[in-house]
Amino acid sequence: MSSDYEPGQTKPNNTTSRKNRLSNTISSMGKIPPQAVDLEEAVLGALMLEKDALSSVIDILKPELFYQEAHQKIFEAIHLLFQKSKPVDILTVTSELRQLGHLEMVGGAFYITNLTNRVASAANIEFHARIISQKYIQRELIRISTEIINNAYEDTTDIFDLLDHAEKNLFDIAQNNLRRDTQKMDEIIRQSLATLEELRSKTDGLTGVPSGFTALDRITGGWQKSDLVIIAARPAMGKTAFVLSCARNAAVDFKKAVVVFSLEMSSVQLVNRLISGEAEIEQEKIRKGNLQEWEWQQLHSKIGNLTEAPLLIDDTPALNIFEFRAKCRRLKSQYDIQMVIVDYLQLMHGKGEGKGGGNREQEIGSISRALKSVAKEIDIPVLALSQLSRAVESRPGVNGKRPQLSDLRESGSIEQDADMVLFLYRPEYYGITEDEQGRSQIGVGEVIIAKHRNGETGIVPLRFIGKFVKFGDLEEDFMPPGGGFGNDSPASGMYPSQDFDKPGNVIIKPSRMDDFSDDDPPF
């Protein structure tokens, strides 16, 4: 059988074919692919000159990043020597290439020797390696864009498959090539001291985005940057009301730009809830438009603060992670958003149009990891609502209705990825109108801090105002002297080792999260 290849010539692999297609496409446009062949030669020569040079670039370079196929084979041989803990020099690389059958293809021993003559030292090898990586990313972006253009012209192409394929390819480029550098301790210390100096000037003790609830902010110091906060509850507990109250307080009272991604309710419905709480007009009246003249005047006089607030709402249904990440980046650039709220997590999709592979628990796991990744990347808190399982309803007793970490739906990954897990609980919903001390539980909602990676856990009681669909601080006369619920309350039975001498409307206990690794359950 005849062959299309000359003797000694290596059949091109997938990477080579892909590069050739890219070259042909760009050449037809009158341009050559982005490349830095001279730097590739300098880097390979430096790797064979100095034995410690490879450790500087081993996490930056991969064989496919090199433009020349010969350079890919040479670096592959160098990488294999590194894996075998063998020295890297002209002789060992030549020998390794000979064993792999690639020596003649790369130009023989003469070409290997010639590479070392192109560089004097490895002083700038890391900088050169990053340029090589950047050129590869440029080539990949051109290749992916060209494929998208060609496929988009095909009538037989499924548009959602095309979107999913494009998202995956772009995400893979970011995941595989854009890595944060390791920081030295002196750099981190300087950053930490600068942060402490900034916090020193604050007199309110808030280090993050305020929730607007005094007792809650006393524990958390506000919603902290790069934190993923999961807020979970059974239906009708007021999850949306709570996060809308948080968003309103941050945007109106503290002028922090906040974006709410509402996957369940429309933007008009959310705004109607905000208007109800701000103007203190019953939600039912606003929904029907059945307002008295004085109520219209009250509405217009009080919604001015909302109108001017830096509060953004996105009600895109079935939002997927790729869209979410892109929108957050854009909103951070345009409006300098300080907090993101997602209502709610189980309505998101891991891939375009819900075509994620694997079961739902794996998809929820990828979503929670992506939410945490966005929080770290943009350096803002992300608050995500989550549903609870029906196990809460089946447990007997007063305390049995309080949610636990195990009640989170698809809880394994959510619990692990979250920096904080808050549960909302309203005793009144379960017919509990008084606690054991005879205090009214009507209109009382508890925020249970079940997990707090960087602080304390506890229970914060708030006032739930159902007719205005909002939460507020609980009046001080509800609390016993010294604050807290008291040792004989139902809450104290849930958290028996708490400090009840803390000031304010809060029960606090030291965090147990430091006793476990991220892979272990906290309780």
Side-chain angles (χ1 to χ4, degrees), residues 302-347:
K302 289 193 174 183
I303 64 173
N305 289 336
L306 274 181
T307 304
E308 300 173 0
L311 183 57
L312 309 167
I313 297 176
D314 186 313
D315 60 357
T316 304
L319 187 69
N320 65 59
I321 280 300
F322 187 84
E323 295 172 330
F324 173 76
R325 187 189 298 271
K327 287 185 176 185
C328 286
R329 287 172 178 161
R330 185 167 61 250
L331 291 171
K332 181 65 175 179
S333 174
Q334 292 178 343
Y335 302 103
D336 190 26
I337 55 173
Q338 300 297 305
M339 183 168 69
V340 170
I341 295 173
V342 178
D343 183 12
Y344 58 93
L345 186 150
Q346 277 83 7
L347 291 179

Side-chain angles (χ1 to χ4, degrees), residues 189-238:
I189 289 292
R190 281 197 297 271
Q191 294 176 10
S192 179
L193 290 176
T195 303
L196 290 175
E197 288 292 337
E198 181 182 351
L199 297 178
R200 183 182 180 185
S201 61
K202 294 181 179 291
T203 57
D204 53 13
L206 292 175
T207 59
V209 178
S211 69
F213 303 120
T214 306
L216 182 60
D217 286 337
R218 187 178 293 125
I219 293 182
T220 63
W223 310 117
Q224 300 299 313
K225 292 181 178 180
S226 77
D227 273 6
L228 172 60
V229 181
I230 298 296
I231 301 169
R234 288 293 295 156
M237 287 294 150

Side-chain angles (χ1 to χ4, degrees), residues 349-462:
H349 290 298
K351 295 184 178 181
E353 286 299 307
K355 294 190 178 186
N359 58 37
R360 181 58 178 163
E361 184 171 352
Q362 291 173 335
E363 187 176 14
I364 291 294
S366 69
I367 292 171
S368 65
R369 286 191 297 272
L371 291 178
K372 174 60 180 175
S373 174
V374 170
K376 288 186 65 178
E377 177 185 341
I378 307 180
D379 198 28
I380 58 174
V382 173
L383 277 60
L385 300 186
S386 177
Q387 292 280 20
L388 289 178
S389 68
R390 296 181 181 272
V392 176
E393 313 293 342
S394 62
R395 289 197 296 265
V398 174
N399 290 331
K401 303 303 182 184
R402 281 192 174 86
Q404 304 170 4
L405 287 170
S406 58
D407 295 328
L408 281 169
R409 290 178 63 180
E410 297 97 11
S411 64
S413 56
I414 297 176
E415 180 184 331
Q416 177 179 326
D417 296 328
D419 297 280
M420 291 182 65
V421 177
L422 309 183
F423 295 124
L424 300 181
Y425 168 68
R426 292 194 297 114
E428 180 184 5
Y429 179 81
Y430 294 103
I432 303 170
T433 57
E434 292 184 348
D435 63 12
E436 294 183 358
Q437 294 182 341
R439 292 189 301 263
S440 175
Q441 295 291 292
I442 297 176
V444 174
E446 294 178 3
V447 178
I448 303 170
I449 306 176
K451 174 183 177 180
H452 193 183
R453 182 168 284 152
N454 301 308
E456 299 168 305
T457 58
I459 301 177
V460 177
L462 298 175

Side-chain angles (χ1 to χ4, degrees), residues 36 136 274 337 371 497 503:
Y136 170 77
L274 286 168
I337 55 173
L371 291 178
S497 60

Side-chain angles (χ1 to χ4, degrees), residues 486-503:
N487 292 331
D488 55 350
S489 72
S492 66
M494 180 179 179
Y495 299 109
S497 60
Q498 297 177 26
D499 179 1
F500 296 101
D501 296 327
K502 291 282 184 182

